[in-house]
Amino acid sequence: MDDVFLTGFPAGMLACNCYVLAQRAGADAIVVDPGQRAMGQLRRILDENRLTPAAVLLTHGHIDHIWSAQKVADAYGCPAYIHPEDRFMLSDPIKGFGRGLIGGFATSAFGALFREPKQVVELDRDGDKIDIGDTSSITVTIDHTPGHTRGSVVFRVEGDVPRPRGAENAREIAFTGDTLFRQSVGRTDLPGGSGRDLLGSIVTKLMVLDDDTVVLPGHGETSTIGFERRANPFLEGLTL
């Protein structure tokens, strides 16, 4: 990637980070986790930088991450990518929280709001690489990282990526969703969650990456793998 465009903003009540990545202004772009009320700010970013979404990438199916996925994908005529284990939440996101936690009226009201995008691609092969875009394609590696949900994934992009302070030699970014945060990890008490699986995913898929790898989480601040290896209290004592 030569002159990377990357930006993000917190969307909705739960401040889910929505990201936009392209090789440069005026090119095809990927949109990661467009959450609640993301469409307005997202459209401004796309218009100001002459970007056209070629894919909506969903790190998992929880409502705060997929809220605007159908609107974005269908408005721009691009597919939404999600792991098959979490696909059901695109049209029935309440299942991701358990119906026992939410009343019947709320369940019906939410159910009427959501439907699948017209184009859905299932990310069913761990380690696959997908090329997104036309003349300025972006190669994305998919790592299946169950634990927060059964279908959680991490998206990795290699190249001349934007480098935050402390990661001047970074050659890779990882969109970690709710698997790994700055000095924290994803919750595992919702349907499909597993603490054992979550830590196993982090150890085998994320802690094996270079220390300079930039971590772009689903909530909160940017980090690096090296910083999390040293300073994340939930990872203390974990080994491969």
Side-chain angles (χ1 to χ4, degrees):
M1 300 177 70
D2 300 318
D3 187 17
V4 176
F5 175 90
L6 174 64
T7 191
F9 60 92
M13 293 182 294
L14 296 178
C16 170
N17 289 331
C18 175
Y19 297 101
V20 181
L21 174 69
Q23 274 199 333
R24 60 181 181 274
D28 288 336
I30 61 175
V31 177
V32 181
D33 288 353
Q36 183 189 25
R37 296 196 296 267
M39 194 65 175
Q41 189 164 350
L42 180 60
R43 193 184 295 277
R44 286 192 292 274
I45 291 170
L46 296 171
D47 290 348
E48 289 172 2
N49 295 280
R50 297 172 285 105
L51 298 172
T52 302
V56 175
L57 304 183
L58 303 172
T59 60
H60 62 289
H62 281 160
I63 192 170
D64 53 326
H65 291 253
I66 61 93
W67 191 295
S68 299
Q70 180 266 325
K71 290 181 181 179
V72 176
D74 290 355
Y76 290 97
C78 65
Y81 291 74
I82 193 167
H83 193 276
E85 290 272 15
D86 278 13
R87 182 173 179 172
F88 70 92
M89 285 185 263
L90 289 175
S91 56
D92 194 0
I94 298 304
K95 282 186 178 179
F97 294 94
R99 295 190 182 278
L101 298 177
I102 301 174
F105 176 78
T107 297
S108 300
F110 271 115
L113 291 174
F114 292 91
R115 65 179 185 274
E116 280 197 354
K118 293 177 182 178
Q119 302 177 64
V120 178
V121 178
E122 293 188 350
L123 303 167
D124 58 350
R125 295 182 60 182
D126 186 32
D128 261 8
K129 294 181 183 293
I130 54 175
D131 292 322
I132 297 173
D134 295 327
T135 57
S136 301
S137 64
I138 300 170
T139 300
V140 181
T141 301
I142 296 93
D143 294 320
H144 184 204
T145 54
H148 180 62
T149 66
R150 291 190 181 94
S152 289
V153 298
V154 167
F155 299 109
R156 291 187 287 117
V157 179
E158 298 181 18
D160 292 324
V161 298
R163 301 172 176 90
R165 182 178 299 176
E168 286 78 11
N169 297 316
R171 294 287 298 170
E172 187 170 38
I173 56 178
F175 298 97
T176 59
D178 287 2
T179 295
L180 180 65
F181 303 122
R182 185 177 179 87
Q183 293 186 285
S184 189
V185 298
R187 62 187 294 179
T188 58
D189 59 333
L190 296 173
S194 166
R196 178 186 291 272
D197 288 348
L198 180 75
L199 294 179
S201 293
I202 292 172
V203 169
T204 60
K205 301 295 178 63
L206 294 174
M207 291 300 102
V208 296
L209 302 177
D210 290 344
D211 279 358
D212 284 325
T213 301
V214 180
V215 173
L216 299 177
H219 302 269
E221 299 177 1
T222 298
S223 187
T224 66
I225 290 296
F227 179 80
E228 298 311 309
R229 201 190 309 278
R230 297 187 303 272
N232 193 317
F234 294 91
L235 307 183
E236 186 176 351
L238 292 181
T239 58
L240 286 173

